[in-house]
Every structure is written in C-alpha cells, then in structure tokens.
C-alpha cells in the first residue's frame, strides 16, 4: 500500500528539486529579523487575545504588519529614527501608529498593550527599564524580548549615539565579539559605526538576559514564566502563568523552549558567521596589499 509522505512546502519536489536552495540563496546571509519567529507569534496569538501591540525597535513595518495580519487591531511602532520605508508603511496601514519617542520613556505615553515586543537597544539599562515598567504597569501582558542569547545575553550593545547616561553604560568599543575567543576584535561582529559593544562580557548590569533575570528577581508573584527559543540570537517570552489557557500556551511553546537541536544549530550559525567575518577581513587586507 502506498503511504503518503508529508512534505512541508518549500522543501522541494521531484519536479522542483531546487526549491529549498532557491529560498536559501534569497534569504539574507545574517538572519536577524523577528520575521523568522512567525510560528512563535502565531502560537501567542492563538492562545491569547491580542488586540493592541507595542513594538519597540522597528527596522521596517514588515513585522508590524504581520501582527495586524494575525489579528492585532492597533500596533504602536516605537522607533526614534524611522526610515522613509517605515513612514510609508505606517501611512498605508491604518492599524499602525508611529511613536518617535525613545523607549523606555515611550511606554508611559501609550495605553497598556496585550503584547510588547522588545527589539530596540540591546543593553541592560534599556531592557531593565522597559521590563520594569511593563511588569509593574501591564503585568497581564505577553512580553517578547529579542537578543537574549549571544552576543547580547551578557554583553551590552549600544546604538550610536547612545541616549544612556555614562553611569548606565559599560566601557564600550567599536570592536566586536566573535565566538572564537572571549575578547572583542576588529574582525568580529562590529557595528561599522551603527553600534558599539561593551568591552567585557558578564558581571552585573551587562546584557539583555541579565536584565531579564534582574527583573524576575524583583517580582514577588511566582506565576511569572520565561521561555527561551534558542534561535536567531534568542527569543524570550515572558508572561504570567495563571490559567488553563496559559497551560495550553506553555504546552504549545514547550517544543521550542531550550531545544537542544535549535541551540546546536544557532551555535553552528554564529560560529560560521563570525568565521566568515574574519575570512572577509583577511581577504580585504590581502587585496589592499
């Protein structure tokens, strides 16, 4: 008896064997967008009523529009330096609102949301301020935090010019991290003038994951849960687990939470990418003579 083999669209077929390769070469070399977590957001929207969203750090309106596609009625796009593309997208979508006030100050100017997506400045002071305000003011919201793994888990990143006070920042450098040794290097993951990285990793008040941990330590409600999806620089989901609906949400997220397979693939990805950065630097130096 013939047995049908389930194949996910995009894997390719006998008639189109190059479909997966075609998708691979069309994707950016560095996968960094929240759009990679589409199925995670589908889970969140399926298990919680999400009408209002606040998205902090908006490269374009692509992800913001995805929230409206999933059912959000209003998305506040917090972006102090919006691109022309973002402005056009907001003008074209009546469910999007542009907020040019920097976060975390912007949060207090907006109504409480059902979902907060934090993907702005990847440093302790900013994320700690954002999470402190949300957990105190909108504790029943879902919170998604991007960049909770390498390189920002235990090392601050500062977009330039940074609005943070000197006492809120670690000593920083234009050099960048690599997985091949612990120190920063000019051939590492650098911002090319867009951002700087803390000179050292670890310790107190340093890194996005450290900010999440510090926030959780201040919360007296034991129902708070933090789930990490270990892919594409790490996605964290923070929420209060208090109902049968939250049981279902937890079960839906469980296959992704701390997945050893995803974690191994992420480690391999960042190792290959930072090795490529070094090789590209060596090629540039050779061509420069």
């Amino acid at each position: 008896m013939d047995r049908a083999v389930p194949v996910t669209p995009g894997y390719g077929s006998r008639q189109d064997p190059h479909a997966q390769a075609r998708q691979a070469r069309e994707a950016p070399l560095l996968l960094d967008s929240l759009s990679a977590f589409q199925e995670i957001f589908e889970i969140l929207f399926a298990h919680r009523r999400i009408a209002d969203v606040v998205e902090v750090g908006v490269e374009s309106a692509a992800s913001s529009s995805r929230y409206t596609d999933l059912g959000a009625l209003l998305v506040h796009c917090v972006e102090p330096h919006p691109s022309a593309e973002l402005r056009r997208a907001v003008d074209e979508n009546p469910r999007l609102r542009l907020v040019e006030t920097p976060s975390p100050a912007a949060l207090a100017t907006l109504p409480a949301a059902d979902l907060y997506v934090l993907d702005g400045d990847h440093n302790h002071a900013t994320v700690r301020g954002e999470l402190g305000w949300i957990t105190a003011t909108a504790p029943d919201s879902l919170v998604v935090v991007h960049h909770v793994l390498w390189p920002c888990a235990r090392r601050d990143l500062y977009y330039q010019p940074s609005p943070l006070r000197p006492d809120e920042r670690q000593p920083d450098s234009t050099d960048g991290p690599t997985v091949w040794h612990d120190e920063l290097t000019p051939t590492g993951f650098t911002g090319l003038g867009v951002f700087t990285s803390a000179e050292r990793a670890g310790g107190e008040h340093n890194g996005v994951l450290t900010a999440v941990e510090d926030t959780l330590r201040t919360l007296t409600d034991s129902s708070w849960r933090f789930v990490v999806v270990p892919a594409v620089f790490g996605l964290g989901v923070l929420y209060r687990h208090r109902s049968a609906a939250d049981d279902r949400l937890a079960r839906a997220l469980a296959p992704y939470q701390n997945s050893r397979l995803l974690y191994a693939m992420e480690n391999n990805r960042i190792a290959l990418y930072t090795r490529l950065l070094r090789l590209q630097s060596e090629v540039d130096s050779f061509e420069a003579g």
Side-chain angles (χ1 to χ4, degrees):
M1 181 176 66
D2 291 337
R3 294 177 181 267
V5 178
V7 177
T8 300
Y11 288 179
S13 65
R14 300 182 189 192
Q15 293 73 32
D16 183 14
H18 305 297
Q20 183 181 357
R22 188 165 58 250
Q23 289 185 12
R25 63 175 173 262
E26 291 173 355
L29 186 61
L30 177 63
L31 190 60
D32 187 24
S33 173
L34 281 171
S35 62
F37 296 100
Q38 175 71 13
E39 60 192 278
I40 302 300
F41 284 105
E42 289 174 355
I43 290 172
L44 299 182
F45 274 81
H47 290 83
R48 284 286 188 95
R49 180 187 178 277
I50 300 175
D52 298 326
V53 178
V54 172
E55 182 180 28
V56 177
V58 187
E59 295 179 359
S60 70
S63 58
S64 307
S65 297
R66 287 187 176 90
Y67 307 138
T68 62
D69 292 341
L70 290 170
L73 302 178
L74 183 61
V75 180
H76 295 280
C77 305
V78 180
E79 180 52 65
H81 306 289
S83 64
E85 177 189 5
L86 175 57
R87 290 187 184 278
R88 285 194 300 270
V90 170
D91 289 341
E92 294 170 359
N93 189 337
R95 294 187 181 184
L96 303 184
R97 298 284 188 276
L98 180 60
V99 181
E100 297 185 54
T101 304
S103 184
L107 302 182
T109 69
L110 302 172
D114 303 304
L115 171 65
Y116 289 86
V117 182
L118 306 182
D119 193 23
D121 275 2
H122 311 312
N123 56 67
H124 184 279
T126 301
V127 176
R128 183 69 180 86
E130 292 167 341
L131 292 178
W133 188 91
I134 294 168
T135 54
T137 311
D140 292 325
S141 302
L142 285 168
V143 187
V144 169
V145 188
H146 196 198
H147 289 269
V148 298
L149 295 183
W150 189 94
C152 297
R154 307 298 181 185
R155 188 192 297 271
D156 275 1
L157 179 150
Y158 308 107
Y159 283 105
Q160 298 298 326
S162 175
L164 296 176
R165 302 188 310 268
D167 63 298
E168 296 176 313
R169 298 172 52 175
Q170 301 287 336
D172 58 333
S173 170
T174 56
D175 290 350
T178 178
V179 303
W180 298 102
H181 50 76
D182 297 338
E183 298 77 24
L184 299 181
T185 171
T187 62
F189 189 63
T190 63
L192 301 177
V194 176
F195 62 81
T196 59
S197 296
E199 291 179 352
R200 65 174 182 86
E204 300 302 314
H205 310 294
N206 196 8
V208 173
L209 186 55
T210 304
V212 176
E213 293 171 345
D214 289 347
T215 300
L216 288 171
R217 289 193 184 102
T218 68
L219 302 175
T220 58
D221 187 341
S222 62
S223 67
W224 284 97
R225 299 290 183 271
F226 184 60
V227 174
V228 175
V229 180
V232 193
F233 298 123
L235 189 80
V237 181
L238 180 66
Y239 68 101
R240 289 205 291 183
H241 188 145
R242 302 195 301 169
S243 68
D246 294 328
D247 290 338
R248 293 189 289 272
L249 173 60
R251 287 195 295 270
L253 291 173
Y256 303 91
Q257 180 178 9
N258 300 322
S259 164
R260 287 178 292 176
L261 174 61
L262 289 179
Y263 191 63
M265 293 173 66
E266 176 67 1
N267 283 346
N268 182 248
R269 185 181 78 99
I270 59 178
L272 290 174
Y273 185 73
T274 52
R275 179 58 175 159
L276 176 63
L277 291 177
R278 180 174 178 178
L279 291 173
Q280 183 61 58
S281 177
E282 292 173 354
V283 169
D284 292 343
S285 297
F286 177 80
E287 291 179 346

